[in-house]
Amino acid sequence: MKWNLTSGIAAVVGVATVAGFFYLTRTQRSPDDTARAPAVVAEAPAPPAEPAIRYPVPPETEAVPQPLPPLDKSDKAVNDALVEYFGRQSVQQLFGLDSIIRHIVVTVDNLPRETVATRLLPTKPVRGAFLVKKSADGMTIAPSNSARYLPYVELARRTNAAQVARIYAGFYPLFQKAYEELGYPKGYFNDRVVAVIDHMLAAPEPEGPMRLTQPHILYKYADPALENASAGHKIMLRMGRDNEAVVKAKLRELRAELTRHAPARQ
């Protein structure tokens, strides 16, 4: 079922760049029991509760390769499937093909943070130079800069969220294992994906051209709020309003699918 593998991996790459909130176990310290009570045996402190899973991944409902390859040996299957479905030229243009599942996981986890390491992206960096429009009033991001993101936006546009969620569920053990290796042994990756989607949906949508400064070599946003935004929000800002609208619409669809099996909240 190479098509299924390709669709699931590619959609997660395209949309979650495609992914709740995970809870880490908190160390609990009970107060010292200094009162004497000969007739009562003091109970040992209860162990920390396991993190609550907010958005459980549903059981797979679509055929996937069985058994799943080990995480360390999953690259070949992913690479072969991507080439078969998209063609070698498209894959070479858009995807990084080493440790792709691990790179998806670390990128998703880092989107709400200050930076995302380019060397760990599951996709290749956007081609071309960052385009700036200069005028007497200063510098702004050039409208034509958004065209650089079109191949990735089109990948998101043509994904089917319901199908993606089913396929993602089938391959979920590999994503979960990579997430635990990242340093979250009690975390649940799908919860993190949902949280990151929510973060990306909250990206600002400034009206009009975004003004820039260039104190040294690199450009910065003139608005401090934008300059201090997360790596994920800056990706949204750079891709342009039209592209951002497409990506956000697809993220909303995907979020709805990934949270369908969440238990009812009291």
Side-chain angles (χ1 to χ4, degrees):
M1 302 296 294
K2 288 186 177 181
W3 185 90
N4 287 340
L5 175 60
T6 301
S7 303
I9 298 297
V12 173
V13 170
V15 176
T17 44
V18 322
F21 179 84
F22 69 91
Y23 295 96
L24 294 177
T25 301
R26 295 179 178 178
T27 303
Q28 299 178 355
R29 197 177 282 180
S30 59
D32 293 335
D33 183 6
T34 57
R36 294 186 178 183
V40 178
V41 178
E43 294 184 0
E50 288 295 312
I53 294 176
R54 297 187 68 186
Y55 303 112
V57 173
E60 64 182 84
T61 57
E62 190 159 341
V64 296
Q66 294 294 336
L68 288 175
L71 179 59
D72 287 336
K73 298 181 179 179
S74 61
D75 274 352
K76 186 178 186 305
V78 175
N79 296 354
D80 289 349
L82 287 170
V83 169
E84 181 173 319
Y85 185 70
F86 289 110
R88 189 171 302 278
Q89 182 175 355
S90 294
V91 170
Q92 290 176 345
Q93 177 186 0
L94 297 179
F95 294 94
L97 300 177
D98 294 324
S99 300
I100 189 167
I101 288 180
R102 286 190 172 97
H103 288 179
I104 291 171
V105 169
V106 72
T107 297
V108 167
D109 187 53
N110 283 339
L111 285 173
R113 307 186 196 279
E114 183 178 355
T115 60
V116 173
T118 302
R119 64 185 177 82
L120 298 179
L121 290 173
T123 53
K124 292 186 177 180
V126 176
R127 289 188 171 188
F130 180 65
L131 301 177
V132 173
K133 180 180 179 180
K134 298 182 179 180
S135 68
D137 295 330
M139 296 180 293
T140 59
I141 297 179
S144 56
N145 189 66
S146 61
R148 300 166 58 222
Y149 294 84
L150 286 176
Y152 305 91
V153 174
E154 286 303 314
L155 179 65
R157 189 199 301 271
R158 67 175 183 256
T159 57
N160 180 296
Q163 185 180 62
V164 166
R166 292 194 299 270
I167 300 166
Y168 166 68
F171 288 93
Y172 186 75
L174 298 182
F175 289 98
Q176 179 62 31
K177 180 173 177 57
Y179 189 55
E180 292 171 3
E181 289 181 354
L182 190 60
Y184 306 111
K186 295 183 181 297
Y188 192 67
F189 180 61
N190 196 56
D191 286 354
R192 183 59 173 166
V193 170
V194 176
V196 173
I197 289 175
D198 288 342
H199 178 78
M200 299 296 279
L201 291 175
E205 300 176 7
E207 295 290 340
M210 284 175 281
R211 296 190 176 278
L212 304 171
T213 64
Q214 192 179 19
H216 300 291
I217 297 175
L218 301 178
Y219 294 100
K220 292 186 176 182
Y221 291 100
D223 183 341
L226 300 183
E227 180 57 32
N228 293 326
S230 69
H233 283 188
K234 285 182 177 178
I235 290 172
M236 288 291 205
L237 291 169
R238 286 194 296 269
M239 71 172 59
R241 288 289 297 273
D242 290 344
N243 288 341
E244 182 176 358
V246 172
V247 172
K248 283 187 173 181
K250 190 60 63 174
L251 287 173
R252 291 187 187 98
E253 293 177 14
L254 183 60
R255 188 192 192 284
E257 295 296 332
L258 296 180
T259 60
R260 288 178 62 185
H261 292 263
R265 303 184 68 177
Q266 300 296 325

